């Protein structure tokens, strides 16, 4: 095993040397135990604070898996059904074109609802990002695509308002007949959950996932007072790291605004893979890991997770990305093997690093 871990460490160090990485935390688990941790660089370059396993970092779109588990938990504990059309729970839901009356929660979870992948509304509800992106040439396409976005954002006060915004959206394909990754639509799921449970999405996720797993350093849109060990976020420009705003999006939390640590996310992966975990049943977990949305040979999407076949094993994974944020989680449930990586710069190709590590353990 030590020889394997030495190879893993060398692969990580090569990756760091090749890419401009300010800080990285990595944690590998197997058979319900932690087997390897690795921390590199700084969570705060200015204060020279080192990245640690308990540094609180944005996990971005890995947050969608929490929303998926919450919806499966809701299905197990109420009359809610993932395959019931959304309009039966939210009568005000509609789209500009297409058979929106056929769209179910399962469609949204698997990104097969028919929505386009370029709505951008929820992303721009992050005020820090909005101000940051507005002045950068590489983000101008968003504002050209959404010329009245400032007025629209001003009118969005609730998750129900986001659901109603979809009345402006054309469906490029029939529900269930294609696949496009629509971040914004996960807020509709939170709207459904809130109407049925009587709790906010934040309360439901905290009470039914975060607390039962003792994820004591996991927060939803944390304030700086939540922990003294918070990451800062950077982009690399003109041979220097530039600090950028910390992501914060109150209404958009279900799509990507959970913050956690490498240690807490290791607990999360272990719990999801363990047969005796108590958050959702094994049948619900099997549903979550099903290859629902075929994207290309051996690659699909389940409920909140990307699913692929690799050398006769099912690999379950998800990336998170945002200006200043890269995250990645991978599981091979049959082997109870998992890894998580949290990084405080955007566009770090963590998928490559994950694949290389898996190749070492399972050549």
């Amino acid at each position: 095993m030590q020889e394997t871990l030495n190879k893993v460490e060398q692969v990580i160090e090569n990756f760091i040397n090749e890419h401009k990485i300010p800080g990285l935390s990595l944690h590998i688990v197997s058979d319900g135990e932690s087997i390897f941790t690795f921390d590199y660089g700084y969570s705060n370059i200015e204060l020279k604070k080192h990245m640690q396993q308990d540094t609180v970092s944005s996990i971005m779109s890995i947050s969608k898996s929490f929303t998926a588990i919450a919806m499966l938990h809701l299905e197990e504990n109420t009359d809610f059904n993932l395959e019931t059309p959304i309009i039966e729970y939210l009568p005000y839901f509609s789209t500009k074109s297409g058979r929106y009356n056929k769209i179910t929660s399962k469609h949204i979870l698997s990104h097969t609802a028919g929505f386009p992948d370029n709505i951008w509304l929820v992303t721009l509800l992050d005020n820090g990002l909005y101000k940051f992106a507005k002045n950068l040439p590489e983000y101008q396409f968003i504002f050209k695509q959404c010329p009245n976005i400032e007025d629209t954002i001003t009118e969005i006060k609730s998750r129900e308002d986001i659901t109603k915004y979809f009345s402006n959206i054309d469906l490029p394909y029939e529900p269930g007949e294609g696949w496009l990754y629509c971040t914004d639509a996960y807020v509709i799921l939170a709207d459904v959950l809130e109407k049925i449970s009587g709790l906010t999405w934040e309360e439901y996720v905290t009470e039914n996932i975060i607390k039962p797993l003792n994820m004591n350093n996991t927060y939803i849109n944390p304030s700086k007072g939540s922990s003294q060990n918070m990451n800062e976020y950077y982009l690399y420009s003109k041979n220097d790291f530039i600090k950028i705003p910390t992501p914060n999006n109150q209404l958009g939390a279900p799509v990507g605004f959970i913050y956690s640590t490498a240690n807490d996310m290791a607990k999360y992966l272990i719990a999801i893979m363990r047969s005796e975990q108590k958050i959702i049943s094994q049948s619900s977990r099997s549903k979550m890991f099903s290859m629902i949305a075929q994207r290309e040979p051996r690659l699909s999407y389940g409920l909140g997770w990307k699913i692929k076949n690799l050398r006769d094993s099912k690999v379950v994974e998800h990336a998170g990305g945002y200006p200043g944020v890269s995250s990645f989680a991978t599981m091979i449930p049959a082997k109870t093997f998992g890894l998580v990586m949290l990084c405080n710069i955007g566009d770090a190709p963590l998928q490559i690093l994950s694949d290389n590590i898996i190749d070492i353990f399972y050549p």
Side-chain angles (χ1 to χ4, degrees), residues 139-175:
Y139 294 104
Q140 291 313 300
F141 74 95
I142 298 175
F143 297 96
K144 287 177 183 174
Q145 183 179 306
C146 313
N148 300 316
I149 194 67
E150 195 159 332
D151 293 337
T152 301
I153 288 172
T154 303
E155 294 169 0
I156 299 293
K157 306 292 185 187
S158 68
R159 289 177 179 144
E160 184 173 309
D161 289 338
I162 293 171
T163 298
K164 290 176 178 176
Y165 178 80
F166 275 75
S167 65
N168 300 297
I169 301 300
D170 290 313
L171 299 187
Y173 64 89
E174 287 295 303

Side-chain angles (χ1 to χ4, degrees), residues 193-246:
L193 182 144
E194 291 177 343
K195 295 297 193 296
I196 292 171
S197 70
L199 300 173
T200 65
W201 174 88
E202 287 82 355
E203 290 168 339
Y204 200 96
V205 167
T206 300
E207 292 303 314
N208 294 296
I209 304 174
I210 294 173
K211 283 186 179 178
L213 296 184
N214 296 315
M215 298 175 72
N216 299 321
N217 288 309
T218 298
Y219 308 93
I220 300 168
N221 276 318
S223 66
K224 286 293 182 182
S226 300
S227 170
Q228 297 302 307
N229 196 9
M230 298 284 291
N231 233 334
E232 299 292 341
Y233 302 92
Y234 300 89
L235 62 78
Y236 190 77
S237 178
K238 299 177 182 177
N239 298 317
D240 200 8
F241 290 108
I242 300 168
K243 187 156 73 173
I244 61 176
T246 295

Side-chain angles (χ1 to χ4, degrees), residues 4-54:
T4 298
L5 297 180
N6 289 342
K7 288 180 183 177
V8 168
E9 191 157 335
Q10 188 59 58
V11 163
I12 299 169
E13 289 173 353
N14 292 343
F15 178 86
I16 288 168
N17 290 334
E18 185 176 348
H19 303 281
K20 302 295 183 185
I21 306 292
L24 171 72
S25 284
L26 181 147
H27 198 129
I28 300 176
V29 298
S30 184
D31 295 324
E33 301 289 338
S34 170
I35 62 168
F36 180 82
T37 62
F38 186 97
D39 297 301
Y40 164 81
Y42 296 112
S43 62
N44 186 317
I45 294 172
E46 295 76 18
L47 299 180
K48 290 188 165 45
K49 287 178 66 176
H50 291 279
M51 283 289 283
Q52 300 172 334
Q53 290 293 301
D54 285 324

Side-chain angles (χ1 to χ4, degrees), residues 131-359:
K131 291 177 179 176
F132 172 73
K134 201 169 182 182
N135 298 317
L136 293 177
E138 57 264 43
Y139 294 104
Q140 291 313 300
F141 74 95
I142 298 175
F143 297 96
K144 287 177 183 174
Q145 183 179 306
C146 313
N148 300 316
I149 194 67
E150 195 159 332
D151 293 337
T152 301
I153 288 172
T154 303
E155 294 169 0
I156 299 293
K157 306 292 185 187
S158 68
R159 289 177 179 144
E160 184 173 309
D161 289 338
I162 293 171
T163 298
K164 290 176 178 176
Y165 178 80
F166 275 75
S167 65
N168 300 297
I169 301 300
D170 290 313
L171 299 187
Y173 64 89
E174 287 295 303
E177 299 297 318
W179 188 89
L180 285 173
Y181 187 86
C182 182
T183 281
D184 295 52
Y186 265 58
V187 178
I188 299 173
L189 297 170
D191 191 12
V192 170
L193 182 144
E194 291 177 343
K195 295 297 193 296
I196 292 171
S197 70
L199 300 173
T200 65
W201 174 88
E202 287 82 355
E203 290 168 339
Y204 200 96
V205 167
T206 300
E207 292 303 314
N208 294 296
I209 304 174
I210 294 173
K211 283 186 179 178
L213 296 184
N214 296 315
M215 298 175 72
N216 299 321
N217 288 309
T218 298
Y219 308 93
I220 300 168
N221 276 318
S223 66
K224 286 293 182 182
S226 300
S227 170
Q228 297 302 307
N229 196 9
M230 298 284 291
N231 233 334
E232 299 292 341
Y233 302 92
Y234 300 89
L235 62 78
Y236 190 77
S237 178
K238 299 177 182 177
N239 298 317
D240 200 8
F241 290 108
I242 300 168
K243 187 156 73 173
I244 61 176
T246 295
N248 189 290
N249 192 331
Q250 299 297 321
L251 294 180
V255 313
F257 292 85
I258 291 178
Y259 289 69
S260 191
T261 67
N263 275 337
D264 271 10
M265 289 302 295
K267 292 180 190 177
Y268 181 64
L269 298 187
I270 288 169
I272 292 173
M273 290 188 287
R274 270 185 170 155
S275 59
E276 72 273 16
Q277 61 83 26
K278 298 293 189 282
I279 296 176
I280 55 174
S281 66
Q282 289 188 55
S283 62
S284 287
R285 183 183 60 187
S286 295
K287 194 186 298 187
M288 184 166 67
F289 291 167
S290 296
M291 299 183 86
I292 295 166
Q294 187 72 24
R295 294 165 56 190
E296 56 187 68
R298 304 173 69 85
L299 177 64
S300 189
Y301 200 92
L303 305 179
W305 291 97
K306 182 172 81 172
I307 317 290
K308 66 184 182 184
N309 284 324
L310 180 69
R311 294 186 287 279
D312 299 323
S313 289
K314 182 182 282 187
V315 179
V316 179
E317 61 189 20
H318 213 290
Y322 204 68
V325 180
S326 298
S327 62
F328 204 86
T330 305
M331 293 176 284
I332 307 178
K335 302 180 186 299
T336 60
F337 174 89
L339 67 90
V340 63
M341 295 175 279
L342 303 174
C343 183
N344 57 351
I345 196 167
D347 298 323
L350 298 179
Q351 169 87 67
I352 295 170
L353 181 54
S354 174
D355 289 349
N356 288 341
I357 291 171
I358 288 173
D359 284 344

